[in-house]
Amino acid sequence: MKTIFLLITALFLCTGSAAAQAPDIIGPMSIADMIELPGWFTEDFLAYAPQPEYANAIPAHMGDVEILCVLGTWCSDSKREVPRMIRILQAKNIAPEKLILIGVDRSKRDPDGVAQRYTIERVPTFIFLRGGKEIGRIVEAPMASLEKDMLGIIDPNAGKAAPPPPQLPPPPITIEHPDGSVQQHEGQHDPGAHHPDGHHPPHPHDHEHPQPQADPQPPK
């Protein structure tokens, strides 16, 4: 990947940023083929700096992932986003073989029917495959950035908060009586948790000693 990056840089320095019309390449292509496309690897490619808080986590999840990129060499969105994806792979030393490039015509078709098989409607479309099965895609342009959207696809736990720690039972309540006896009662998480009004249920001994009633007044 470093060799490819040096070739791209050398080509840019030799040709400058003047953009000619890129030829339509239909079917499988390589990164080396893309280097020859006029106007594709310009200042935007050289200046693109992937956000490290997302890009640094990508290599750990790329072991069994491939990226199928369906693009159009005639497409301005492909011209912007595909070099940026290559830049991310280069910056994180991810093997270029992880990126599979398929060019389509303006009808979104290719000779091998790859675009039809994956129902491609807009380009570029980056399809992420884990063990040959699609786990997500980025269509035309990322929602946030390529590296952030990419990490969200290849790492199912990205952006999720850590689960809360298990709730431990409260310690028992110890009551010492004047006679020296000790009683233990289970603690309560919230005294009003099961009572919407927040009051305790009546204790069974609360009614053992009723208050004396006043004598009724004799009738006059």
Side-chain angles (χ1 to χ4, degrees):
M1 182 60 79
K2 288 183 178 179
T3 302
I4 292 175
F5 176 68
L6 292 174
L7 289 173
I8 293 171
T9 304
L11 181 65
F12 172 74
L13 293 175
C14 292
T15 61
S17 59
Q21 181 65 37
D24 290 352
I25 302 178
I26 313 299
M29 68 178 75
S30 66
I31 295 177
D33 294 327
M34 296 190 66
I35 294 175
E36 302 296 330
L37 295 176
W40 272 59
F41 295 91
T42 60
E43 294 99 332
D44 182 72
F45 169 80
L46 297 175
Y48 187 70
Q51 296 169 283
E53 61 267 34
Y54 307 113
N56 290 346
I58 287 175
H61 304 281
M62 283 294 295
D64 57 349
V65 173
E66 291 181 320
I67 306 170
L68 172 63
C69 175
V70 181
L71 68 134
T73 55
W74 43 266
C75 169
S76 59
D77 291 326
S78 296
K79 183 177 178 180
R80 181 188 66 247
E81 300 298 339
V82 177
R84 289 181 176 182
M85 177 62 76
I86 294 173
R87 184 78 163 116
I88 293 171
L89 301 183
Q90 177 270 328
K92 306 319 298 179
N93 292 318
I94 297 172
E97 292 78 18
K98 292 283 188 179
L99 182 63
I100 303 168
L101 300 167
I102 304 293
V104 294
D105 60 21
R106 295 172 189 266
S107 299
K108 317 298 190 301
R109 293 180 177 275
D110 64 284
D112 298 325
V114 176
Q116 294 91 318
R117 192 180 317 140
Y118 285 96
T119 318
I120 301 300
E121 297 179 351
R122 290 179 289 174
V123 292
T125 294
F126 299 96
I127 302 174
F128 296 84
L129 306 170
R130 175 168 278 137
K133 295 183 179 181
E134 180 176 344
I135 58 174
R137 60 175 66 187
I138 300 172
V139 179
E140 201 168 33
M143 296 293 291
S145 66
L146 275 177
E147 57 271 20
K148 184 175 182 179
D149 289 13
M150 179 178 176
L151 181 62
I153 292 172
I154 64 176
D155 178 12
N157 296 317
K160 293 183 179 179
Q167 190 175 23
L168 300 176
I173 300 173
T174 302
I175 301 176
E176 295 185 6
H177 296 280
D179 61 1
S181 61
V182 177
Q183 283 185 322
Q184 284 191 338
H185 300 275
E186 293 184 1
Q188 295 182 355
H189 291 285
D190 183 357
H194 304 292
H195 301 279
D197 59 0
H199 295 294
H200 289 287
H203 193 277
H205 299 297
D206 287 349
H207 302 290
E208 288 185 356
H209 304 288
Q211 296 293 326
Q213 301 292 326
D215 293 335
Q217 296 293 327
K220 296 182 180 180

